[in-house]
C-alpha cells in the first residue's frame, strides 16, 4: 500500500471538480459579466440534477468542503489586518447581536407563529443564525434530536442556501451597496459558509473577502451556541467538561486563516507569493463551488414542509432587513 | 452543502499517513494544507 494507492479512490471526483472549475473559468472569460464562481455552482447543480454524480466520483467530490476551508485559510494572505481592525469592533458587535437576536427571533417565530414543536425550532434557529447545516448537526447532536427533525431542518437550510445564493448578489447590485457593505450584509444574513463566500465573490472580490470574514466570526460562535442550547434543554451530561465541548465545535480552520493573515501582514511573504497564494485560494474556491452545486438536489429541497420554510423565511426577511439598515448606517 | 466534520474518511484502510490524516478533524486538515501551501511559497518565492 502506497500513498498513491490511498489517493486512487479520490482521483475521479477530483477530476470532476477540476474539470468543472476549468469549464467555469473558460465560460467566465468568454461571457463578459459572468462570474466563474457562480458558473461553477450552476454547473454542479446542472450535473447533480440531470446525470447525477457518478458513484466512483463520490469520494473525491466529498473533498469540496476541505477545498473550501483550505481556500478560506489561504484567503488570510489577502486580508489587510489594518482594515479589519478598523471595522472589526463594528462587525463583531453586529455578529454577536445578529446571532443572539436571530436565535431568539427564530425560536419565537417557529414556536409562536408556526406552532412547530420539539427540537426542530432550535435546529432551524441554529442553522439560520449561526452557520447552516453544520450548526444544525452540532446543535442536533447536543440536543439528541431525532433523525427526521435533523433532516427536515438541514433540508430547509439547504433550500434557503440555494435561493439566497442567487437572490443576494442580485439584491446587492440593485441596492447599489459597496463591496464592504454587501459582504458584511451577506455574511450576517445568509446561512452556510460556502454560499456566503460564493455570493460575496459574485458581487466583487472585496465583498467576497468581507463576506467570508464576517461569516467566520459568526461560525466561531457555534461552540458557545451549542453549549447554551445544551444548558437550556438541560440535556447535557454533568461530567462533560464545557471547555472540551466548546473546542470540539470550534471550526479549527479559522485559526489557520488568522495565522496566514498574521504571516502575510507581518511582512514575511513577498508580493509575488501573496499573489500566488491568493490565486491558489481562488482556485480552491472554484473547485469547492462545483462541489457545492453537486450537493444541491432540487428534488430533496421540494420535499421540505411549509411550516419550517415559512418560519425561516420570516426570520430571513427580518434579519436581512435589519442588517441591511445597519450596514448602510454603520459601514 | 453539508458541513459535517472529517473529509475523505471513508475507512481506516491505507498507509499509516492516510490513517492519521483521516483521523484528523476537517478543520485541522484545512489548516495544515493551508500552512503547507504558505510554507512552499516562503521557500520558492522569498523576498
Amino acid at each position: 500500500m502506497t500513498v498513491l494507492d490511498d489517493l486512487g479512490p479520490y482521483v475521479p471526483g477530483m477530476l470532476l471538480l477540476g474539470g468543472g472549475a476549468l469549464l467555469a473559468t473558460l465560460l467566465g472569460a468568454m461571457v463578459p459579466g459572468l462570474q466563474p464562481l457562480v458558473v461553477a455552482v450552476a454547473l454542479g447543480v446542472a450535473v447533480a440534477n440531470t446525470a447525477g454524480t457518478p458513484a466512483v466520483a463520490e469520494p473525491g467530490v466529498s473533498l469540496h468542503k476541505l477545498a473550501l476551508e483550505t481556500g478560506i485559510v489561504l484567503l488570510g494572505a489577502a486580508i489587510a489586518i489594518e482594515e479589519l481592525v478598523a471595522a472589526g469592533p463594528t462587525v463583531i458587535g453586529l455578529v454577536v447581536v445578529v446571532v443572539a437576536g436571530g436565535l431568539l427571533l427564530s425560536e419565537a417565530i417557529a414556536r409562536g407563529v408556526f406552532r412547530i414543536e420539539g427540537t426542530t425550532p432550535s435546529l432551524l434557529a441554529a442553522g439560520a443564525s449561526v452557520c447552516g447545516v453544520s450548526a444544525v448537526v452540532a446543535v442536533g447532536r447536543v440536543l439528541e434530536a431525532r433523525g427526521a427533525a435533523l433532516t427536515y431542518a438541514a433540508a430547509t437550510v439547504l433550500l434557503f442556501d440555494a435561493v439566497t445564493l442567487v437572490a443576494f448578489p442580485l439584491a446587492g447590485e440593485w441596492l447599489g451597496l459597496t463591496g464592504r457593505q454587501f459582504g458584511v450584509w451577506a455574511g450576517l444574513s445568509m446561512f452556510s459558509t460556502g454560499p456566503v463566500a460564493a455570493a460575496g465573490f459574485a458581487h466583487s472580490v472585496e465583498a467576497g473577502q468581507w463576506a467570508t470574514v464576517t461569516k467566520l466570526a459568526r461560525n466561531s460562535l457555534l461552540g458557545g451556541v451549542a453549549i447554551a442550547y445544551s444548558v437550556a434543554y438541560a440535556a447535557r451530561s454533568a461530567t462533560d467538561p464545557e471547555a472540551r465541548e466548546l473546542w470540539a465545535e470550534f471550526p479549527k480552520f479559522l485559526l489557520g486563516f488568522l495565522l496566514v493573515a498574521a504571516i502575510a501582514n507581518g511582512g514575511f511573504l513577498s508580493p509575488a507569493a501573496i499573489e500566488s497564494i491568493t490565486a491558489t485560494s481562488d482556485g480552491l474556491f472554484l473547485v469547492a463551488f462545483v462541489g457545492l452545486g453537486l450537493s444541491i438536489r432540487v428534488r430533496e429541497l421540494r420535499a421540505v414542509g411549509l411550516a419550517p420554510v415559512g418560519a425561516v423565511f420570516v426570520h430571513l426577511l427580518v434579519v436581512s432587513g435589519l442588517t441591511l439598515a445597519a450596514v448602510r448606517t454603520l459601514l | 452543502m453539508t458541513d459535517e466534520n472529517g473529509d475523505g474518511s471513508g475507512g481506516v484502510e491505507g498507509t499509516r499517513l492516510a490513517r492519521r490524516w483521516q483521523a484528523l478533524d476537517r478543520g485541522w486538515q484545512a489548516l495544515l494544507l493551508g500552512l503547507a501551501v504558505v510554507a512552499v511559497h516562503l521557500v520558492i518565492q522569498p523576498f
Side-chain angles (χ1 to χ4, degrees):
Chain A
M1 201 78 178
T2 65
V3 174
L4 282 179
D5 294 325
D6 291 329
L7 290 174
Y10 298 99
V11 172
M14 285 160 83
L15 287 175
L16 181 63
L17 294 179
L22 193 64
L23 187 57
T25 308
L26 291 174
L27 287 171
M30 277 160 47
V31 184
L34 202 58
Q35 283 286 340
L37 290 169
V38 179
V39 180
V41 178
L43 284 173
V45 172
V47 170
N49 293 279
T50 51
T53 310
V56 70
E58 293 283 0
V61 167
S62 76
L63 294 176
H64 77 270
K65 296 168 225 159
L66 178 60
L68 176 72
E69 292 182 2
T70 309
I72 291 174
V73 169
L74 295 177
L75 187 67
I79 299 292
I81 286 186
E82 290 163 18
E83 220 179 298
L84 263 187
V85 169
T90 310
V91 173
I92 290 170
L94 282 171
V95 165
V96 172
V97 170
V98 165
V99 170
L103 285 169
L104 295 173
L105 174 75
S106 190
E107 289 275 1
I109 294 168
R111 292 182 196 277
V113 181
F114 288 88
R115 304 281 169 208
I116 306 170
E117 292 175 352
T119 54
T120 304
S122 305
L123 300 180
L124 291 173
S129 304
V130 191
C131 53
V133 174
S134 54
V136 171
V137 172
V139 170
R141 201 160 52 206
V142 169
L143 303 185
E144 294 172 3
R146 286 177 303 115
L150 273 174
T151 312
Y152 228 47
T156 308
V157 167
L158 291 177
L159 175 68
F160 279 91
D161 279 341
V163 173
T164 53
L165 182 56
V166 179
F168 265 69
L170 291 175
E173 202 71 42
W174 182 66
L175 292 164
L177 298 177
T178 65
R180 184 198 284 195
Q181 286 175 331
F182 178 74
V184 174
W185 182 47
L188 288 171
S189 316
M190 289 174 65
F191 301 164
S192 298
T193 308
V196 167
F201 282 108
H203 182 280
S204 61
V205 173
E206 191 193 9
Q209 293 176 349
W210 277 104
T212 309
V213 168
T214 308
K215 191 64 189 46
L216 291 183
R218 248 170 92 195
N219 290 2
S220 68
L221 299 180
L222 176 59
V225 169
I227 295 290
Y229 265 118
S230 68
V231 171
Y233 275 74
R236 201 169 129 261
S237 149
T239 55
D240 205 4
E242 206 162 290
R244 185 188 291 179
E245 185 106 354
L246 265 171
W247 179 240
E249 306 299 346
F250 186 81
K252 319 302 186 293
F253 67 94
L254 213 147
L255 299 175
F257 168 83
L258 294 173
L259 210 54
V260 173
I263 292 169
N265 284 269
F268 296 103
L269 291 166
S270 65
I274 290 180
E275 200 177 315
S276 172
I277 290 170
T278 309
T280 310
S281 172
D282 292 345
L284 286 168
F285 275 126
L286 262 180
V287 164
F289 291 161
V290 176
L292 178 74
L294 284 169
S295 70
I296 297 175
R297 302 280 193 283
V298 175
R299 204 185 322 137
E300 286 171 21
L301 298 184
R302 280 203 207 122
V304 177
L306 280 180
V309 171
V312 174
F313 182 63
V314 174
H315 164 97
L316 181 66
L317 277 185
V318 174
V319 170
S320 58
L322 291 175
T323 50
L324 177 62
V327 297
R328 277 191 142 165
T329 314
L330 300 171
L331 298 173
Chain B
M1 275 179 281
T2 51
D3 270 352
E4 293 96 322
N5 279 346
D7 252 310
S9 52
V12 290
E13 289 171 22
T15 59
R16 212 170 121 197
L17 179 67
R19 287 197 299 274
R20 286 198 166 185
W21 180 256
Q22 287 173 355
L24 285 174
D25 176 277
R26 192 177 68 235
W28 284 123
Q29 293 178 345
L31 186 151
L32 291 174
L33 277 178
L35 289 182
V37 171
V38 171
V40 168
H41 280 86
L42 279 169
V43 173
I44 62 168
Q45 289 179 315
F47 265 114

